[in-house]
């Protein structure tokens, strides 16, 4: 409830971003269809060689913790990353840990774009999480779903923190827009999905119609976006083809939880510096052996308090303000 209330309260942060993004894509106002449109930059997008991407990821992790960087290096050194593009290979990216004592395998499709470097950091973050908890039993070594995105998102934050001062304003503009798009998709959008699910289940329990559910969903979208974008009525039925609602009810909540948790932890690191590193290592090393709320409380984080979650949104707000000035 605390997390969802904070997400609802901070919807204007993304509304400000979408108003800014409209000018970046050459429109007066975005339509709902244009939400993830790529932004325009006046310079050609920079390419990163795969070896350079590895170096950037390892350096970013090493500045935070040499131990974590050594976990990541283990994956590369054992040739456990399938990065090349070839006929018949599946798309997307993922990390797989067959057994706790086996070094994780990572699949990505590397094209040399900055987004691919962040994808590499993300999946290597999952691998680091697995290696950190590798001394746990196979029954509890995997992090529970709300904690499963902690190390992956955190690795991306470390990467951006490391390279943001070494890139041009145009590249930073494009990179920030991609990051904020991702924050919207994984935090705000997912939390409003969950709010809709809660409302929908109450409606269904008291008997309802498809049209009434669509009305509830459209109202949810208008609360989420305000006047920042144009929402046509056809989006009222968008809920009907979102598979999570049917196959994994309330699963969307874990996206918001995991990604905002990483941002809040990162904000703590920026305040505390090196003294935060052992805390972070302990959280990863616990794997799925403890409930998230208990594990975090042991380290002084009370996730029932709005202030904890607000710290994550403060980070997003700062990024939106930075983008507005570029």
């Amino acid at each position: 409830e605390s997390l969802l209330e904070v997400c609802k309260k901070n919807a204007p942060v993304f509304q400000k971003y979408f108003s800014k993004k409209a000018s970046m894509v050459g429109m007066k106002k975005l339509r709902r269809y244009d939400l993830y449109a790529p932004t325009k930059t006046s310079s050609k997008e920079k390419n990163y060689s795969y070896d350079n991407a590895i170096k950037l990821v390892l350096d970013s992790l090493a500045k935070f913790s040499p131990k974590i960087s050594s976990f990541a290096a283990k994956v590369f050194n054992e040739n456990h990353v399938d990065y090349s593009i070839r006929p018949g290979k599946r798309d997307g990216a993922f990390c797989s840990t067959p057994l706790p004592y086996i070094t994780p395998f990572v699949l990505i499709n590397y094209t040399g774009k900055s987004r691919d470097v962040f994808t590499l950091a993300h999946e290597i973050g999952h691998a680091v999480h697995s290696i950190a908890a590798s001394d746990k039993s196979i029954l509890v070594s995997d992090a529970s779903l709300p904690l499963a995105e902690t190390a992956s998102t955190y690795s991306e934050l470390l990467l951006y923190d490391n390279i943001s001062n070494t890139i041009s304003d145009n590249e930073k503009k494009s990179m920030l827009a991609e990051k904020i798009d991702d924050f919207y998709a994984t935090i705000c959008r997912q939390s409003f999905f969950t709010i809709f699910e809660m409302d929908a289940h109450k409606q269904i329990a008291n008997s309802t119609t498809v049209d009434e559910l669509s009305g509830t969903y459209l109202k949810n979208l208008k609360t989420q976006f305000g006047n920042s974008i144009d929402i046509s009525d056809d989006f009222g039925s968008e809920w009907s083809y979102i598979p999570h609602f049917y196959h994994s009810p309330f699963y969307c909540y874990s996206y918001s939880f995991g990604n905002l948790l990483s941002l809040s932890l990162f904000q703590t690191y920026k305040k505390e510096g090196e003294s935060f590193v052992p805390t972070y290592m302990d959280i990863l090393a616990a794997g799925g052996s403890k409930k998230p709320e208990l594990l975090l409380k042991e380290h002084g984080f009370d996730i029932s308090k709005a202030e904890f979650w607000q710290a994550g949104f403060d980070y997003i707000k700062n990024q939106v303000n930075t983008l507005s000035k570029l």
Side-chain angles (χ1 to χ4, degrees):
E1 287 174 355
S2 179
L3 166 64
L4 293 176
E5 277 304 312
V6 169
C7 288
K8 212 170 177 181
K9 178 186 165 189
N10 284 275
V13 173
F14 288 104
Q15 291 168 14
K16 179 180 178 181
Y17 165 66
F18 290 127
S19 297
K20 168 68 179 174
K21 185 172 181 177
S23 64
M24 292 174 71
V25 298
M27 297 180 71
K28 287 183 179 178
K29 195 174 188 180
L30 293 179
R31 302 167 303 165
R32 175 61 187 79
Y33 295 98
D34 310 310
L35 216 55
Y36 300 117
T39 54
K40 294 177 180 176
T41 56
S42 56
S43 61
K44 190 179 177 184
E45 188 176 353
K46 184 177 176 182
N47 258 338
Y48 295 83
S49 70
Y50 180 64
D51 286 342
N52 190 21
I54 294 173
K55 186 177 185 305
L56 286 172
V57 171
L58 293 180
D59 286 352
S60 302
L61 295 176
K63 285 180 181 177
F64 174 73
S65 163
K67 187 175 182 181
I68 282 184
S69 187
S70 73
F71 288 166
K74 184 176 168 66
V75 183
F76 292 115
N77 292 339
E78 294 184 23
N79 200 25
H80 277 210
V81 181
D82 181 352
Y83 67 91
S84 65
I85 294 176
R86 57 186 182 274
K89 182 180 175 183
R90 62 162 291 176
D91 60 1
F94 67 85
C95 175
S96 173
T97 306
L99 291 165
Y101 57 83
I102 294 177
T103 301
F105 291 87
V106 166
L107 177 141
I108 62 170
N109 287 276
Y110 193 80
T111 66
K113 306 300 182 189
S114 62
R115 178 176 282 277
D116 297 326
V117 184
F118 280 95
T119 299
L120 180 63
H122 184 100
E123 299 306 333
I124 287 295
H126 281 305
V128 163
H129 203 159
S130 292
I131 295 171
S134 60
D135 64 336
K136 296 286 184 292
S137 154
I138 192 174
L139 300 176
V140 293
S141 58
D142 283 345
S144 58
L145 200 54
L147 290 177
E149 294 299 328
T150 307
S152 53
T153 304
Y154 199 89
S155 295
E156 288 191 65
L157 295 172
L158 290 172
L159 173 63
Y160 180 74
D161 201 47
N162 185 29
I163 67 173
S164 60
N165 293 325
T166 66
I167 55 179
S168 68
D169 281 354
N170 262 328
E171 193 175 1
K172 184 184 279 192
K173 197 174 180 180
S174 177
M175 207 175 274
L176 268 177
E178 284 184 356
K179 271 168 56 65
I180 298 166
D181 277 345
D182 286 343
F183 289 147
Y184 165 71
T186 58
I187 297 173
C188 189
R189 178 167 161 81
Q190 303 299 325
S191 61
F192 273 90
F193 274 165
T194 304
I195 291 166
F196 165 73
E197 278 189 278
M198 292 165 74
D199 291 341
H201 279 258
K202 286 175 188 170
Q203 275 183 245
I204 292 164
N206 294 309
S207 78
T208 191
T209 66
V210 168
D211 288 342
E212 285 169 345
L213 286 173
S214 295
T216 299
Y217 187 79
L218 196 58
K219 188 178 176 185
N220 176 291
L221 288 179
K222 288 178 177 176
T223 302
Q224 184 181 162
F225 293 113
N227 293 317
S228 64
I229 67 168
D230 284 328
I231 306 165
S232 48
D233 288 345
D234 53 331
F235 270 94
S237 59
E238 183 186 23
W239 65 271
S240 65
Y241 60 87
I242 295 170
H244 292 91
F245 294 163
Y246 309 109
H247 304 307
S248 318
F250 302 101
Y251 173 70
C252 295
Y253 163 77
S254 62
Y255 282 108
S256 302
F257 186 110
N259 286 280
L260 199 55
L261 169 64
S262 297
L263 293 176
S264 296
L265 292 177
F266 188 71
Q267 287 289 76
T268 304
Y269 164 57
K270 297 305 279 184
K271 286 177 190 171
E272 297 181 2
E274 285 184 22
S275 62
F276 173 72
V277 176
T279 298
Y280 180 75
M281 288 296 296
D282 286 348
I283 291 171
L284 296 194
S289 61
K290 295 176 182 177
K291 287 186 176 181
E293 63 271 29
L294 298 178
L295 173 62
L296 293 165
K297 201 160 195 174
E298 282 178 14
H299 295 287
F301 302 114
D302 187 349
I303 64 172
S304 68
K305 302 292 184 189
E307 299 81 49
F308 174 75
W309 299 111
Q310 184 59 47
F313 266 106
D314 289 344
Y315 177 87
I316 299 172
K317 192 175 183 179
N318 288 338
Q319 301 306 309
V320 172
N321 288 339
T322 300
L323 180 65
S324 298
K325 292 170 187 172
L326 289 172

